Amino acid sequence: MAYPREILEQSRAELAARRQRSAEARAARRAQVARRVPEALALEREIASTSARLAQAVLSGEDVGAKVDEIRRFNLSSQQKLRSLLALHGFAPDALESIPSCAACRDTGVAGGQTCDCVRQLRRALMYDRLGASAPVDTYGFDRFELRWYPEQAGGSSQVSPRAIMTKTFSECLRYAKTFSIGSPSLLLTGGPGLGKTHLSLSIAHTVIERGFDVLYVPFLTLLGRLEAARFGRGGEEYADSLQAPLSCELLILDDLGSEFSTSFSTSVLYDILNSRQLAGFASVISTNLSEQELKARYGERIHSRLFGGCRVLPFLGEDIRLQKIYAR
Ligand SMILES: [Zn+2]
């Protein structure tokens, strides 16, 4: 599970900031102790010098046993004295020490030769921030998806029960998110507006990030805007940078395909993304309001075959839920 470069850099910077903060807090506490209990610092210096004497005694090799014991006893009792002295003046017993935010790795990011849990947590939080920057993630989640909005009965344009179809679509999305791994297939979520495609896309994003994968969620229109701006920026470099994440993330969630104004640029961007990701073995979850015929007419045969040949198609049926909620008020 590889995180994108910017997330790794941000998490490294955050660890450095945590170390800096704890060093500053320690310096501030020591300055306070120096003002109010100067004898505590003197005692600390004494302990440090006995530690040096202990090391010397071990090195000298003569009559070691007794001497070491004596120094050690003195040291322990001095430490005890120091702690009670600090406590007596209202300081924490470890006020002179550095207190890291993570005791397991002391804010180095590594504990027991492994990436510390605090770093994993931090990276997930950064991924959520990135997701939150493009969507209101708080309101989404599998547990907030309500099947009651989908009609039980077939009727109108639908020959089958929308709720039956949506029950299946919902459980497929949930299972997909919970079992996602590199090499998982791509999904194409199709159906009219207001049927919960964005809701389930974001729920997938949420769960797959939670499981530690590098997920990028972006509406296709937003991505195109960024790429178009980058084309006129610092030449090809910025354009390549903007395309980097959509091409190399472990799961790309491309929302609302078809809402953009179609141009040869948008079609070639879409083809490049679908094709490169398919070749690299990376999955995408694509949602669209367009029907199969509309997709084919708009993007042509090559893209049509990548969408319908390379994705598992999950239909969304029912009545626009946003409208239903407005009428229900
Ligand atoms: Zn840690």
Side-chain angles (χ1 to χ4, degrees):
M1 301 184 198
Y3 280 102
R5 200 182 52 207
E6 89 249 23
I7 298 289
L8 296 177
E9 278 166 7
Q10 282 168 18
S11 77
R12 262 197 296 275
E14 172 57 26
L15 281 182
R18 286 176 186 177
R19 288 194 298 270
Q20 173 85 20
R21 278 199 296 276
S22 76
E24 282 167 8
R26 173 177 184 250
R29 283 194 309 273
R30 291 180 70 88
Q32 265 190 329
V33 171
R35 273 198 309 278
R36 285 166 43 198
V37 207
E39 61 272 35
L41 289 174
L43 192 53
E44 187 196 40
R45 277 194 295 277
E46 204 179 326
I47 294 168
S49 74
T50 53
S51 298
R53 266 167 49 213
L54 184 66
Q56 248 168 18
V58 171
L59 285 177
S60 73
E62 39 177 286
D63 190 16
V64 177
K67 201 163 179 78
V68 167
D69 272 355
E70 185 202 320
I71 296 174
R72 196 169 273 151
R73 262 198 309 279
F74 173 78
N75 217 337
L76 272 174
S77 83
S78 308
Q79 265 162 3
Q80 212 121 53
K81 218 159 100 189
L82 174 59
R83 296 168 83 82
S84 13
L85 187 60
L86 287 167
L88 189 65
H89 289 82
F91 289 101
D94 56 356
L96 298 177
E97 320 282 329
S98 157
I99 303 166
S101 9
C102 174
C105 71
R106 301 196 65 83
D107 299 337
T108 60
V110 179
Q114 303 237 317
T115 303
C116 186
D117 284 342
C118 73
V119 176
R120 294 179 203 282
Q121 206 177 356
L122 177 59
R123 288 176 186 166
R124 274 200 300 274
L126 290 167
M127 291 291 289
Y128 281 133
D129 286 351
R130 190 169 82 167
L131 180 62
S134 41
V137 280
D138 294 355
T139 54
Y140 296 103
F142 285 112
D143 52 347
R144 285 169 180 257
F145 191 80
E146 295 180 296
L147 285 161
R148 69 184 172 98
W149 293 104
Y150 300 88
E152 186 91 69
Q153 300 300 320
S157 58
S158 176
Q159 311 286 312
V160 285
S161 155
R163 189 169 308 169
I165 296 290
M166 289 310 297
T167 303
K168 194 157 172 272
T169 291
F170 172 78
S171 56
E172 288 237 15
C173 288
L174 179 61
R175 193 171 55 90
Y176 184 84
K178 291 202 157 165
T179 59
F180 176 85
S181 63
I182 305 297
S184 279
S186 292
L187 302 181
L188 180 63
L189 315 182
T190 66
L195 294 181
K197 296 187 298 299
T198 296
H199 187 128
L200 286 186
S201 299
L202 284 167
S203 306
I204 293 174
H206 219 262
T207 302
V208 177
I209 287 174
E210 187 65 47
R211 296 185 46 235
F213 290 95
D214 167 17
V215 181
L216 178 68
Y217 165 90
V218 66
F220 187 49
L221 189 61
T222 308
L223 177 62
L224 275 180
R226 264 181 228 159
L227 289 171
E228 246 155 353
R231 262 210 304 185
F232 302 105
R234 292 178 283 117
E237 195 187 320
E238 192 174 334
Y239 182 77
D241 275 357
S242 311
L243 209 47
Q244 159 81 22
L247 290 183
S248 66
C249 60
E250 292 168 325
L251 177 62
L252 173 67
I253 303 194
L254 205 53
D255 201 11
D256 216 0
L257 177 66
S259 65
E260 79 286 355
F261 180 70
S262 181
T263 62
S264 61
F265 174 68
S266 63
T267 304
S268 86
V269 164
L270 179 61
Y271 179 77
D272 283 348
I273 291 174
L274 295 179
N275 192 48
S276 308
R277 292 189 62 80
Q278 230 162 56
L279 289 175
F282 287 142
S284 312
V285 171
I286 300 149
S287 78
T288 182
N289 293 344
L290 301 181
S291 68
E292 182 171 357
Q293 292 75 13
E294 287 167 329
L295 285 167
K296 194 171 183 173
R298 183 188 271 235
Y299 300 112
E301 182 51 49
R302 289 195 310 168
I303 287 177
H304 172 266
S305 76
R306 263 156 195 82
L307 289 175
F308 286 85
C311 299
R312 189 187 301 158
V313 181
L314 297 181
F316 282 64
L317 290 183
E319 311 288 336
D320 191 323
I321 290 165
R322 277 175 291 226
L323 292 180
Q324 287 189 61
K325 285 183 177 169
I326 291 169
Y327 292 144
R329 273 183 206 157

